[in-house]
Amino acid sequence: MDKTVEKKLTKWLKLQKKACGFYLNLSVFFGVLTGLSLMCQAWLIATVLQGIIIDELPKSDFIDHFWALLGLTVVRGILAFARERASFHAGAKLRVEMRAAVLDKLALLGPAFIKGKPAGSWASIVLEQVEDLQDFYARYLPQVVLAGFIPLIILVAVFPINWAAGLILFATAPLIPMFMILVGMGAADANRKNFSALARLSGHFMDRLKGLSTLKLFNQGEKEAKVIRKASEEFRERTMAVLRMAFLSSAVLEFFAAVSIAVMAVYFGFSYLHHLDFGHYGTPISLFTGLFVLILAPEFYQPLRDMGTHYHAKAQAIGAAEELMALLDHPTEQFGGDKKLTGDIDITAKDLSVYSLDGSLLLGPVSFKISANEHVAIVGPSGAGKTSLLNALLGFLPYKGELSIAGTELKELSLADWRKQLAWLGQEPQLFHGTLRDNIAMGRNLSDNEILSLLEKAQILDFVEQQPLGLSHAIQEQTAGLSVGQAQRIALARALAQQASLFILDEPTASLDSLSEQAVQATLTAAMQGHSCIMVTHRLENLSAMDNILVIDKGALVQQGCYQQLIAQEGTFKQMLDEASSVSEFDLEPVEQANNQPEGDK
């Protein structure tokens, strides 16, 4: 990974630590107290052994020291537990806020942005990548502070009693972070590649799982299994590369810490044998000095070793942060302001051009006007830009030109306030794992009688009454157990609960059989009385009741007018209507021929 990118990601990660609250500082505080208590224990042990072995004092003189040692052991245990809890809460608080920020951002960017990646990739970002930030905030960041603070305290304690020991500690301390950095240079890049492989695998696997029946139908199961096997093997190799980095860094740090402690032990050993005579300020080196320094020596390197051990958490977090930062820093200034909507909803577009999130022109420039309580259909060939226009109206795609709602530019409106006025129904109903009651109420305070009334309007009440649990009937994942028509009518009941001023309908009957289509269409006709409506549809024969029809072709508004006006003039609308009629006649011809055959020939 480029060093500039790595520094940018590290800086971004550190800026997020405010989400940890006071738990991060609390973890550092408990860590410092643990280090101080350990120094006190080293002093007590060295004092007791000096007194008993060298000074030959009775053991009874050190009863208080033994009790103090016992008390400090308990205190250290409590402090270690408190530090772990504070660290965990710091990471947990960060993860909660990060997931909320990701989901809020995705809600703001909308489906036009989300569809740019498979659902499995988003699941990887929201779950695995956010989860892998835990150790960076819970362990690495506190340890960075402790790695600088605790060795400094120990140096302050060691230098006054033996400057040579202090110099050895001071000189060997940089070896650990230096080799930690050298070993860990490629760890962030390895983690980034690992997350990319995981996102690809998750997205690929989820997409294939959704289309499993289709794959079996076309005998492609074995082929896709090989593709998934290859992607899994790639992920395994990248995961093992990350683990190799982690184990190598730990081994290197342990080696240099052991060598440094050995140098310290050799110095004191030769000093006690009178082969070395320096570092003690002219006073003979006592057993207390040697024991005190040698007990503290491992603890001097321990914070540095712990920081090295947790360095892979930093590399892991940097690898996870790349996509998180790109998502959370994605520009959203084009998506609404803070003005409230006032007055009847009328929509005016003048020289309106709609763009994709990467800046490509999708539609326009177009100009039109939709009056309050007017019913408007948007038609055109596939890919003409109909859905792009709806996404712009919903605030999910950027645009240029004028698009005003009740006299206020959409960019200046509060999107939350604007969307409260809308009821949206698409061709692919999105029901959630939960009860029927939950799916229709969607957090609104609706009574069971109100929900039943909505179900009756959507002509799905009979189905609900047939269920043993009624409104508590569980909706399974991917609406399993429901037909498309049933799911669509449940989604319609949810839309009716919105009490919206404007209905936005995107092919609401495209996936329905003729009976379900008639039921949904009749409900929509009744529900939209006295409300505005914008409907995208390919069913041109049902548009005679619409007040206005906008015909879009190749990103341009080519025709507009009522049904009678459009069929009376040559153009895209009449051409599409003729094509639809010829397809219907072609479909009906075999049935009519069969009906006209003698009974014995059928």
Side-chain angles (χ1 to χ4, degrees):
M1 179 183 288
D2 184 79
K3 280 296 176 185
T4 305
V5 176
E6 185 174 345
K7 287 180 180 178
K8 184 179 179 181
L9 292 173
T10 304
K11 183 179 178 181
W12 182 84
L13 284 169
K14 290 180 179 179
L15 288 175
Q16 310 309 311
K17 69 180 181 180
K18 58 180 180 293
C20 299
F22 70 95
Y23 289 108
L24 203 60
N25 294 330
L26 194 62
S27 174
V28 173
F29 176 70
F30 286 135
V32 171
L33 289 182
T34 302
L36 291 174
S37 62
L38 191 141
M39 289 179 62
C40 293
Q41 280 188 309
W43 183 85
L44 288 170
I45 291 171
T47 300
V48 169
L49 292 178
Q50 170 73 27
I52 293 175
I53 297 174
I54 303 300
D55 299 337
E56 297 182 349
L57 298 173
K59 296 177 183 178
S60 57
D61 290 354
F62 300 99
I63 295 297
D64 292 340
H65 293 71
F66 284 116
W67 282 113
L69 275 172
L70 182 61
L72 283 171
T73 302
V74 175
V75 168
R76 281 188 63 193
I78 294 173
L79 289 173
F81 173 78
R83 183 189 168 195
E84 285 294 321
R85 295 299 298 173
S87 297
F88 174 80
H89 283 300
K93 199 168 184 297
L94 181 282
R95 283 183 287 130
V96 168
E97 294 205 14
M98 186 64 69
R99 283 199 176 100
V102 168
L103 294 175
D104 289 344
K105 190 75 172 188
L106 289 177
L108 181 61
L109 293 172
F113 180 82
I114 294 172
K115 287 181 179 178
K117 286 185 179 182
S121 296
W122 292 121
S124 175
I125 291 174
V126 174
L127 298 175
E128 282 88 354
Q129 296 196 24
V130 173
E131 194 70 27
D132 282 318
L133 299 179
Q134 168 75 21
D135 284 350
F136 178 77
Y137 295 96
R139 299 186 183 280
Y140 180 76
L141 282 185
Q143 196 60 47
V144 169
V145 179
L146 294 175
F149 199 70
I150 290 180
L152 183 62
I153 295 175
I154 292 176
L155 283 176
V156 170
V158 169
F159 262 109
I161 60 176
N162 191 289
W163 61 264
L167 195 61
I168 292 172
L169 293 175
F170 183 76
T172 55
L175 290 175
I176 292 178
M178 181 179 69
F179 281 94
M180 174 186 72
I181 293 170
L182 289 174
V183 172
M185 282 178 66
D189 192 45
N191 274 282
R192 182 181 60 82
K193 292 178 180 177
N194 187 50
F195 282 122
S196 298
L198 177 60
R200 287 195 300 272
L201 176 62
S202 300
H204 187 89
F205 182 75
M206 184 169 286
D207 287 346
R208 291 337 182 246
L209 192 62
K210 286 182 178 179
L212 188 60
S213 56
T214 306
L215 292 173
K216 287 185 175 180
L217 183 64
F218 289 95
N219 295 319
Q220 295 295 306
E222 185 62 30
K223 180 181 177 181
E224 289 300 326
K226 291 179 180 177
V227 175
I228 292 175
R229 191 179 299 117
K230 182 180 178 181
S232 302
E233 181 63 20
E234 179 191 359
F235 178 63
R236 184 193 69 80
E237 291 175 355
R238 295 194 184 283
T239 301
M240 295 308 296
V242 172
L243 290 175
R244 280 196 298 271
M245 290 279 188
F247 285 124
L248 178 62
S249 61
S250 297
V252 169
L253 297 179
E254 291 293 337
F255 172 77
F256 282 102
V259 168
S260 302
I261 295 170
V263 170
M264 180 75 68
V266 167
Y267 162 73
F268 278 109
F270 278 98
S271 295
Y272 287 132
L273 294 173
H274 305 292
H275 295 302
L276 295 177
D277 188 24
F278 62 87
H280 45 73
Y281 300 108
T283 306
I285 297 177
S286 65
L287 179 62
F288 169 84
T289 302
L291 286 175
F292 181 66
V293 174
L294 286 173
I295 292 172
L296 288 183
E299 304 305 327
F300 176 84
Y301 299 109
Q302 189 61 46
L304 298 170
R305 289 156 64 189
D306 288 343
M307 185 175 71
T309 302
H310 299 318
Y311 188 78
H312 74 280
K314 176 188 175 183
Q316 197 173 33
I318 289 174
E322 186 173 27
E323 289 192 64
L324 286 170
M325 186 181 76
L327 173 62
L328 294 176
D329 290 349
H330 196 283
T332 56
E333 55 271 8
Q334 72 269 28
F335 297 112
D338 55 3
K339 289 186 178 180
K340 299 293 184 181
L341 190 65
T342 57
D344 294 332
I345 292 182
D346 58 77
I347 301 171
T348 302
K350 185 176 180 181
D351 296 327
L352 173 69
S353 298
V354 181
Y355 295 85
S356 67
L357 293 169
D358 61 5
S360 302
L361 179 65
L362 301 175
L363 171 72
V366 298
S367 300
F368 59 86
K369 181 176 176 61
I370 300 174
S371 302
N373 301 331
E374 187 177 15
H375 294 175
V376 176
I378 303 175
V379 301
S382 296
K386 305 183 296 296
T387 302
S388 298
L389 178 56
L390 290 190
N391 278 323
L393 281 171
L394 292 167
F396 293 136
L397 284 178
Y399 68 88
K400 292 181 181 179
E402 179 184 337
L403 180 58
S404 61
I405 314 294
T408 304
E409 189 64 33
L410 179 59
K411 292 177 181 178
E412 300 174 0
L413 277 177
S414 164
L415 284 182
D417 186 60
W418 164 230
R419 289 170 183 165
K420 286 179 182 178
Q421 313 298 322
L422 306 178
W424 180 87
L425 185 64
Q427 57 182 305
E428 298 177 358
Q430 297 294 322
L431 301 182
F432 305 97
H433 183 67
T435 65
L436 275 167
R437 182 185 293 105
D438 296 336
N439 270 274
I440 295 170
M442 289 296 289
R444 290 183 287 266
N445 188 21
L446 299 178
S447 67
D448 284 357
N449 288 335
E450 290 174 317
I451 293 175
L452 291 172
S453 175
L454 293 168
L455 291 168
E456 185 176 13
K457 290 180 181 179
Q459 301 190 33
I460 191 66
L461 182 59
D462 290 345
F463 167 77
V464 178
E465 290 178 339
Q466 291 170 6
Q467 307 308 312
L469 298 178
L471 291 176
S472 298
H473 176 72
I475 303 293
Q476 303 300 322
E477 296 287 349
Q478 305 296 324
T479 65
L482 296 176
S483 69
V484 177
Q486 289 168 339
Q488 187 73 312
R489 279 178 276 178
I490 291 171
L492 175 57
R494 180 172 63 197
L496 295 176
Q498 184 71 22
Q499 297 181 344
S501 301
L502 172 62
F503 282 80
I504 295 183
L505 313 174
D506 186 5
E507 300 280 5
T509 61
S511 303
L512 304 182
D513 56 65
S514 59
L515 190 62
S516 296
E517 179 185 357
Q518 293 172 10
V520 170
Q521 194 64 51
T523 302
L524 286 171
T525 301
M528 292 185 303
Q529 295 301 318
H531 300 278
S532 301
C533 169
I534 299 175
M535 179 169 67
V536 169
T537 182
H538 284 95
R539 305 290 178 92
L540 306 184
E541 65 277 6
N542 298 328
L543 299 181
S544 57
M546 303 303 287
D547 299 318
N548 194 15
I549 300 172
L550 305 180
V551 184
I552 297 177
D553 189 14
K554 297 178 181 178
L557 180 60
V558 294
Q559 287 179 287
Q560 63 175 311
C562 68
Y563 183 81
Q564 297 302 326
Q565 290 174 328
L566 293 178
I567 61 172
Q569 57 183 260
E570 294 297 325
T572 303
F573 184 82
K574 189 174 182 181
Q575 182 182 351
M576 291 174 62
L577 192 59
D578 291 341
E579 290 175 356
S581 299
S582 63
V583 169
S584 298
E585 290 174 4
F586 178 79
D587 290 340
L588 290 173
E589 188 176 341
V591 178
E592 290 175 354
Q593 290 176 352
N595 289 335
N596 292 330
Q597 288 177 0
E599 188 67 31
D601 295 336
K602 291 184 181 179

